[in-house]
Amino acid sequence: MQQSYEPTKQFEIAHLGQPILKMQAKLVGNILSDECQNLISEMMRTVELAGGVGIAAPQIFKSVRIFIMCSKPNARYPDAPLMQPTAIINPEIIEASIDKEKGWEGCLSVPSLRGLVPRHKKIKVQYYDQNGQKHQTIYTGFIARIFQHEMDHLDGLTFVDRVESVQDLVSESYWYEHFAPNA
């Protein structure tokens, strides 16, 4: 039975400590199935309503290898580049630069913290889109950071697992006051 959803409904987001965020997500078999397409729609709505730049299926309690990247300037990331919301299915990082860069990250599943997280500056990735088409592309900068952050969710990690020291964690309110681009 197919469910219908209110266009303004935001789905519950798993928070740090919930077991699903530590699980390895399963590969998606049939991308074109109603179940998969409905999940993608749920995720698109949820990330939009939550004001995020990405969301992974485990964050809405679905342990499958799907995430949405939807970079755009917003209150949480005012300098984010604009991109079309994109469903990323069964992703792989094929190559990653040796060079890494630390950058501030937040997470819908860790709403009260920000962390200074080292990420590869450049990655070559492969994934399937919502229509089942295979893509291979190179991401750099903030988009590469989003991809790596969301990919971590599929592997049972959050940005808190990636910080090099607890000294690299701050409260969200402190970050807005001292580190936000318009502080």
Side-chain angles (χ1 to χ4, degrees):
M1 178 156 103
Q2 192 170 343
Q3 296 176 314
S4 63
Y5 300 106
E6 295 294 318
T8 57
K9 183 175 181 184
Q10 179 175 331
F11 290 81
E12 183 182 357
I13 294 174
H15 286 158
L16 190 64
Q18 292 180 295
I20 194 148
L21 294 178
K22 292 292 183 189
M23 294 173 59
Q24 181 82 20
K26 294 179 174 68
L27 288 171
V28 175
N30 184 357
I31 293 169
L32 300 178
S33 71
D34 286 347
E35 181 181 12
C36 184
Q37 295 296 311
N38 287 339
L39 175 58
I40 291 167
S41 294
E42 288 177 16
M43 293 172 68
M44 293 264 191
R45 268 194 300 280
T46 298
V47 73
E48 176 68 28
L49 291 169
V53 294
I55 195 167
Q59 291 181 273
I60 61 166
F61 299 92
K62 306 290 184 186
S63 189
V64 293
R65 297 189 76 78
I66 301 175
F67 63 79
I68 306 298
M69 288 198 321
C70 52
S71 179
K72 63 193 168 299
N74 63 41
R76 297 180 77 230
Y77 297 101
D79 296 330
L82 185 61
M83 72 177 289
Q84 279 295 112
T86 304
I88 307 289
I89 304 161
N90 296 336
E92 297 176 61
I93 297 176
I94 299 167
E95 292 176 27
S97 66
I98 294 171
D99 292 340
K100 289 186 176 182
E101 179 175 61
K102 280 188 173 183
W104 288 106
E105 293 184 19
C107 183
L108 298 174
S109 292
V110 190
S112 60
L113 287 179
R114 288 281 177 133
L116 201 51
V117 182
R119 299 281 186 190
H120 299 282
K121 288 182 174 184
K122 181 178 176 181
I123 55 174
K124 182 177 183 180
V125 302
Q126 181 173 289
Y127 65 91
Y128 292 88
D129 67 19
Q130 187 170 354
N131 299 314
Q133 298 297 308
K134 189 176 191 176
H135 296 266
Q136 196 172 94
T137 190
I138 294 173
Y139 291 123
T140 60
F142 190 69
I143 304 299
R145 179 170 295 280
I146 295 171
F147 193 100
Q148 291 169 84
H149 177 108
E150 300 306 334
M151 181 93 167
D152 275 354
H153 281 300
L154 305 184
D155 294 330
L157 300 170
T158 65
F159 78 85
V160 176
D161 297 305
R162 295 281 186 195
V163 295
E164 294 174 333
S165 161
V166 293
Q167 302 297 321
D168 290 338
L169 293 171
V170 297
S171 71
E172 183 98 350
S173 60
Y174 185 85
W175 181 85
Y176 274 115
E177 189 177 323
H178 296 279
F179 298 108
N182 299 324

